[in-house]
């Protein structure tokens, strides 16, 4: 299955979540300047794609595994145990 093949790489999800968290606060800080907020969001998206690719997965496969983890408690627990 997709989940078992990419599970080791998903453990690196923490890096993607870290990037997401860093940029989330920047987007909120720029909320009064819509253009700046859009620029920060674009930069955040690029950084998250890079972080995903650094795991060795493509974005589609990474998203599939992340989505499976939302509904599969065993998978989610295995991912969390290894983070």
């Amino acid at each position: 299955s997709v989940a078992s093949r990419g599970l080791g790489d998903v453990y690196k999800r923490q890096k993607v979540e870290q990037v997401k968290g860093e940029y989330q606060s920047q987007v909120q800080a720029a909320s009064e300047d819509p253009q700046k907020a859009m620029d920060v969001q674009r930069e955040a998206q690029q950084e998250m794609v890079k972080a995903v690719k650094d795991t060795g997965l493509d974005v589609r496969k990474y998203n599939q595994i992340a989505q499976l983890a939302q509904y599969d408690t065993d998978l989610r627990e295995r991912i969390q145990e290894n983070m």
Side-chain angles (χ1 to χ4, degrees):
S1 79
V2 170
S4 61
R5 284 194 308 263
L7 186 59
D9 293 321
V10 174
Y11 298 143
K12 297 176 187 175
R13 179 181 177 160
Q14 186 173 10
K15 174 63 178 168
V16 177
E17 293 300 320
Q18 179 183 1
V19 169
K20 184 178 175 181
E22 289 171 9
Y23 278 94
Q24 201 167 30
S25 61
Q26 290 181 36
V27 170
Q28 288 173 347
S31 64
E32 292 188 23
D33 182 349
Q35 183 60 48
K36 184 174 181 179
M38 283 179 24
D39 291 343
V40 171
Q41 285 177 325
R42 193 170 335 177
E43 184 180 334
Q45 187 173 18
Q46 291 170 350
E47 287 297 315
M48 286 188 291
V49 167
K50 181 183 179 304
V52 167
K53 288 181 177 179
D54 287 348
T55 69
L57 296 172
D58 62 45
V59 173
R60 185 176 54 81
K61 186 175 283 187
Y62 177 88
N63 286 336
Q64 285 176 328
I65 294 169
Q67 200 169 29
L68 284 172
Q70 288 180 341
Y71 301 104
D72 183 332
T73 52
D74 291 336
L75 175 61
R76 185 172 52 246
E77 288 172 3
R78 290 191 338 227
I79 291 170
Q80 290 172 344
E81 286 171 4
N82 290 288
M83 284 185 127

